[in-house]
Amino acid sequence: MFVIWIKFLLIWLLYFTKKAITVDPNLYIFRNHVMKKPHSARLAGKYIALDKAHDEPLNRQLYRSLREGITAGLIPAGEKLPSSRIFAANLGVSRNTVIAAYDQLALEGYTSAKRGGGTLVAKAAKAFANREVTDTVPASPVFSNLGLLLQKDLRSDRLEVSHFQTGSPDGSLFPSDLWARLLRRSARLGGDLGGYEHFTGLPCLQEAIARNLVQSRGVVAQPEQVIVVSTAQAALDLTARLFINPLDIVLLEEPGYLGMRIAAEAANATLISSPVDEFGIDVSLLDCKKYKPKLIYVTPSHQYPLGHVMSLERRLALLELAESAGAFIIEDDYDSEFHFDGDPVSSLYGLDHQERVIYVGTFAKTMMPAHRVAYIVVPPALIAAYKGAVRNAGCVPGHNIQQATAWFLEEGFFRAHLRQMTGVYQLRRDQLISSLQAWNNPALDISCPAGGMQLVVKFDAAEIQDDSVRNNGLKQGYDFSRLSPFYLGAHRRQGLLLGFANMQHKNHDAAMRVLKSCIP
Amino acid sequence: MFVIWIKFLLIWLLYFTKKAITVDPNLYIFRNHVMKKPHSARLAGKYIALDKAHDEPLNRQLYRSLREGITAGLIPAGEKLPSSRIFAANLGVSRNTVIAAYDQLALEGYTSAKRGGGTLVAKAAKAFANREVTDTVPASPVFSNLGLLLQKDLRSDRLEVSHFQTGSPDGSLFPSDLWARLLRRSARLGGDLGGYEHFTGLPCLQEAIARNLVQSRGVVAQPEQVIVVSTAQAALDLTARLFINPLDIVLLEEPGYLGMRIAAEAANATLISSPVDEFGIDVSLLDCKKYKPKLIYVTPSHQYPLGHVMSLERRLALLELAESAGAFIIEDDYDSEFHFDGDPVSSLYGLDHQERVIYVGTFAKTMMPAHRVAYIVVPPALIAAYKGAVRNAGCVPGHNIQQATAWFLEEGFFRAHLRQMTGVYQLRRDQLISSLQAWNNPALDISCPAGGMQLVVKFDAAEIQDDSVRNNGLKQGYDFSRLSPFYLGAHRRQGLLLGFANMQHKNHDAAMRVLKSCIP
């Protein structure tokens, strides 16, 4: 008995010497050990430590302390909590503080009112206390079949901006101050920008995109055919989900864009591909009866990754194939805006008279990838389906950025920026090509794309593997994009995809030296 | 012969009197009729009309005119185009203009180079001309099974902001000027905000959210567990895709949130539900052996739509159920931040020791729906899966808005705004309740939610149907949210969900009069 009193004394000392005792479960357990059955009055003085200097309101501190005591089993189920008046006096706080904490505990079910007054710790608390000591091994997820496909990322590339990065514009040349003004202007519209509505895009942006597409791409569409989404990837994913049943066939270009392969795989499609030559995809060898595609994905303006323009003949063959197979075509026009030699190439969408072409565009390259604004132009028969799908998938950009993008287009900044960047990128392409040619390496087959942001260097010597070139680069902090992963089949050309759009003049020579050192 | 010469003369006159003849297919056909086999020299003078005053560059106009002539079959396949020198002279333009137009046609495959010089219209053009007259009936889409589900929108509600709209904050009280400053500041970071990387969220926002959640929701998570997505709907959709195989069971609250039902249906799940009472979802009657859920969706802080807080006992029962079924729980904490009576209720996530809870939060209610920023806090074992899934689904908010949101949180504006709005919404709740109570209508069972943005009025009289109340409202321009559609089963309570957060004082009386007139 005497020993217990000594311990009590020590705890009192501890309490008064330390203004705030942080809530430590071990401390509770120590105390619990001392007093097997804490009485409510003792609880007030010893189990709870409140810090008046702390930001957290006292009632919240009290609530948390009591809750932890309850869930740790230190204040057992059925225990009556002290009356708020006595408790408040013991703690040196106002009675309202205690009442607020009690109310909160009751609200969350930690306590229940006792018939005739008073607050009891709820029975469930005991279950919780018991639960505490049981198995705490993290649960392992069992993903769905499509979920396993959805989380697979085929793109091994690092995403940080680096020299030779593909598809990446030079952000330092984007008119940040102007953009800042437009964003500010949009923010000042406040609630007028809308709430949950406009999930297929702000009408002003739909109109601006439609107007721009008529002029620059020969895509004639009503604004309501334009579905604004956060990224081109979202456009591809939505389209694959809408059309593809497991094992349905998707026809891809060989080599082709990985983003579409991912979207098609996530829908569990059967992937087939047709080879690409300098005229674009060649579907003449495809046995359409045997392999009847449901969706066809192409990049006619500027084939990804090889950079060729699809010829009229091939375009017509493709439209015919789609007709005979009953397929829809995804035309990904990802960087058609940057065209150096000749004007931009017309869209496949403009040639199509059966409304089979789903046109996908993005502002990631013409403005900034970080904006996350892209769009789909869908045939009228598909508007309702995409409208429902976009709302249910929730891949919608914020209204501020949509409004600012609309102004950027409508007020002429977009065209001016494109004009400037096209000039810059053309210079950078020429510089990259002349540097590559200056090496006089017969093993390098250098393409000269008529537009876009990257070029392909194929390795003509069998001993050069793009894998090893990439590994050499990684050692020097460069992540070269390899050509071979873009092939679906076994026959893969080795080579590199070299982005030049983000290659600033000051970095050019050093980057070229690294590149040269990486190619055996 | 004489007649033909007269016609020639007329065309020449037409050409010289009109500076620009717009490109009109009918005109071509008329001319074509005149000259069955147009010679290249004649082509130069008569088939093409260029307008020097027009914005469109001359080479582009020429290219378009020739392309239209080719695709319309007026310049037949195999026809040799005039030499650029003669053509330029005839048209009165520089030779470079003609060369540029020819290059473009060749690039797109409309023409091909003739051995020994000269440009021939390609054979494919003929196929195109023939194609022109064939079937132009729009193709009809055949959607996938999941695609049909994905496009189905269960939410019949109009989305325009209106009185009594649920889940909609008062945008007029959002600090637009401050937001404008933050957006401007973020825009000035330019390229430093990143490019394609950070697709699970800007690190600064992940950190800000994690910090905020520890303090306000008892959610202890590392920043990398926070996955930023565009909308809460995207979070639900992604989660359903990751976990649900067709016919897998998803357990919902009855009544419950439609957004989750949509996401689960889009994954072709089997939906089951357990009833909600004043303590939250009651799973005690669920035969877990027969119906083993894979995912469980709950709104513990503030049940949607009824508004109850889930008790500790029910929380523990739910965690136990999840454990025995091997299920993961989605905790949708959609408006827990607005809490009037007592402090915010703790999260289920904080009680869970098996890392089975996937926490979904959104800034749509605490800031603005139009921002389209939401987040998922996932257990560590799920980070990799969500990372891949978010990148492949592409539902990522723009970096400007992410950065501005991070500052809004970190610099104390978020808490200040919440505090202000909580006060405003509490007043509006009280005002709505006292107005409803003043009617003394015994058929109305009025709930008083401890927080949130809406309350439920149940109809206790069998003759009042929420369908007819809504129809009465539509006639007066009000779209009341009915209670009955939130029920999955046949036993549906009739009632209304009345949003008060966006009910400004000046509109209150008029809105109440309309509401009263709609309830029989």
Side-chain angles (χ1 to χ4, degrees), chain B residues 162 226 327 407 438 503:
Chain B
S162 67
V226 178
W407 283 326
M503 175 68 81

Side-chain angles (χ1 to χ4, degrees), chain B residues 154 233 236-237 239-240 244 248-277 280-287 291-300 303-306 310 314 318 321 327-332 484-489 491-492:
Chain B
L154 297 175
Q233 188 60 39
L236 303 180
D237 182 50
T239 304
I244 300 303
D248 275 354
I249 291 175
V250 174
L251 173 60
L252 304 171
E253 295 171 322
E254 175 80 338
Y257 180 55
L258 290 178
M260 184 64 211
R261 206 195 295 176
I262 289 167
E265 282 198 0
N268 206 3
T270 304
L271 305 182
I272 62 170
S273 63
S274 279
V276 166
D277 61 19
I281 190 170
D282 179 3
V283 292
S284 59
L285 292 177
L286 189 76
D287 182 352
Y291 301 105
K292 200 169 152 183
K294 189 92 191 283
L295 272 183
I296 302 170
Y297 172 86
V298 285
T299 49
Q303 206 274 331
Y304 196 90
L306 297 182
M310 195 186 295
R314 293 283 172 80
L318 194 67
L321 171 73
F328 276 74
I329 299 174
I330 303 175
E331 174 177 27
D332 189 344
S484 59
F486 295 104
Y487 289 84
L488 187 64
H491 185 70
R492 298 164 176 229

Side-chain angles (χ1 to χ4, degrees), chain A residues 59-60 63 67 104 107-110 124-125 127-128 131-132 135-147 149-153 155 157 159-161 167-168 171 176-177 179-180 183-184 187-188 190-191 194-199 216 230-231 233-234 237-238 241-245 262 266 294 309-313 316 319 323 328 339 341-346 351 353-356 364-365 368-372 381-382 385 388-389 391-401, chain B residues 59-60 63 67 104 107-110 124-125 127-128 131-132 135-147 149-153 155 157 159-160 167-168 171 176-177 179-180 183-184 187-188 190-191 194-199 216 230-231 233-234 237-238 241-245 262 266 294 309-313 316 319 323 328 339 341-346 351 353-356 364-365 368-372 381-382 385 388-389 391-401:
Chain A
N59 65 331
R60 190 80 193 154
Y63 152 76
R67 197 188 70 177
Q104 190 65 26
L107 190 67
E108 298 185 29
Y110 289 95
F128 189 82
R131 209 174 166 279
E132 197 83 359
D135 189 18
T136 56
V137 177
S140 5
V142 181
F143 295 110
S144 66
N145 298 332
L146 291 183
L149 296 169
L150 177 65
Q151 64 189 262
K152 222 171 81 180
D153 200 339
R155 291 170 286 201
D157 50 325
L159 288 166
E160 290 83 37
V161 174
S168 181
S176 300
D177 282 342
W179 185 242
L183 274 182
R184 186 179 56 175
R188 288 197 169 149
Y196 292 103
E197 71 276 26
H198 306 314
F199 45 85
S216 65
S230 26
T231 57
Q233 187 62 38
D237 182 51
L238 276 181
R241 291 176 77 183
L242 278 174
F243 283 93
I244 300 302
N245 278 321
I262 288 167
K294 189 91 190 285
V309 175
M310 196 185 294
S311 72
L312 179 65
E313 202 159 2
L316 296 177
L319 288 170
E323 185 179 346
F328 277 73
H339 214 79
D341 310 320
D343 285 302
V345 176
S346 295
L351 278 183
H353 289 271
Q354 294 204 321
E355 303 181 357
R356 293 194 177 278
K365 287 130 204 333
M368 298 269 266
H371 289 182
R372 316 282 192 195
L382 299 181
R391 185 175 184 193
N392 293 339
C395 46
V396 190
H399 289 192
N400 288 131
I401 213 151
Chain B
N59 64 332
R60 189 79 194 155
Y63 152 76
R67 197 189 68 176
Q104 190 66 27
L107 191 67
E108 298 185 28
Y110 289 95
F128 189 82
R131 208 174 166 279
E132 198 83 359
D135 190 19
T136 56
V137 177
S140 4
V142 181
F143 295 110
S144 67
N145 298 333
L146 291 183
L149 296 169
L150 177 66
Q151 64 190 263
K152 222 171 82 180
D153 200 340
R155 291 170 287 201
D157 50 326
L159 288 166
E160 289 85 36
S168 181
S176 300
D177 282 342
W179 185 243
L183 273 182
R184 186 180 55 175
R188 288 199 168 147
Y196 292 103
E197 70 277 27
H198 307 313
F199 46 83
S216 66
S230 27
T231 58
Q233 188 60 39
D237 182 50
L238 275 181
R241 291 176 78 183
L242 278 174
F243 283 94
I244 300 303
N245 278 321
I262 289 167
K294 189 92 191 283
V309 175
M310 195 186 295
S311 72
L312 179 65
E313 203 159 2
L316 296 178
L319 289 171
E323 185 178 346
F328 276 74
H339 214 80
D341 310 319
D343 285 302
V345 176
S346 295
L351 279 183
H353 289 271
Q354 294 202 322
E355 303 182 357
R356 292 193 178 280
K365 287 130 201 341
M368 298 269 265
H371 288 183
R372 315 283 192 194
L382 299 181
R391 185 175 184 194
N392 293 339
C395 46
V396 191
H399 289 191
N400 289 131
I401 214 151

Side-chain angles (χ1 to χ4, degrees), chain A residues 71-291:
Chain A
T71 53
L74 303 169
I75 310 173
E79 177 87 6
K80 190 184 169 195
L81 291 182
S83 89
S84 56
R85 196 182 49 78
I86 297 173
F87 205 17
N90 282 344
L91 288 169
V93 298
S94 84
R95 195 176 163 194
N96 280 341
T97 301
V98 177
I99 292 175
Y102 279 16
D103 282 353
Q104 190 65 26
L105 288 169
L107 190 67
E108 298 185 29
Y110 289 95
T111 59
S112 55
K114 190 189 166 183
R115 195 183 285 264
T119 304
L120 296 184
V121 173
K123 272 185 219 140
K126 195 177 174 197
F128 189 82
N130 291 338
R131 209 174 166 279
E132 197 83 359
V133 289
T134 64
D135 189 18
T136 56
V137 177
S140 5
V142 181
F143 295 110
S144 66
N145 298 332
L146 291 183
L148 286 170
L149 296 169
L150 177 65
Q151 64 189 262
K152 222 171 81 180
D153 200 339
L154 297 175
R155 291 170 286 201
S156 62
D157 50 325
R158 294 189 309 189
L159 288 166
E160 290 83 37
V161 174
S162 67
H163 310 309
F164 300 119
Q165 198 191 22
T166 57
S168 181
D170 187 343
S172 71
L173 295 175
F174 187 73
S176 300
D177 282 342
L178 166 71
W179 185 242
R181 278 208 306 281
L182 294 179
L183 274 182
R184 186 179 56 175
R185 209 165 106 194
S186 79
R188 288 197 169 149
L189 291 176
D192 293 340
L193 269 178
Y196 292 103
E197 71 276 26
H198 306 314
F199 45 85
T200 56
L202 283 190
C204 62
L205 182 57
Q206 290 178 305
E207 278 162 33
I209 291 172
R211 218 169 350 244
N212 179 61
L213 285 177
V214 171
Q215 290 169 3
S216 65
R217 312 292 306 113
V219 170
V220 182
Q222 295 303 309
E224 61 267 26
Q225 288 176 255
V226 178
I227 313 281
V228 178
V229 289
S230 26
T231 57
Q233 187 62 38
L236 302 181
D237 182 51
L238 276 181
T239 304
R241 291 176 77 183
L242 278 174
F243 283 93
I244 300 302
N245 278 321
L247 307 184
D248 275 354
I249 291 174
V250 175
L251 172 61
L252 304 172
E253 295 170 322
E254 175 81 337
Y257 179 54
L258 289 179
M260 184 63 211
R261 205 194 297 177
I262 288 167
E265 282 199 358
N268 205 4
T270 304
L271 305 181
I272 62 170
S273 62
S274 279
V276 166
D277 61 19
E278 58 178 309
F279 304 111
I281 189 170
D282 179 4
V283 292
S284 60
L285 292 176
L286 189 76
D287 182 352
C288 190
K289 292 221 174 59
K290 203 169 159 194
Y291 301 105

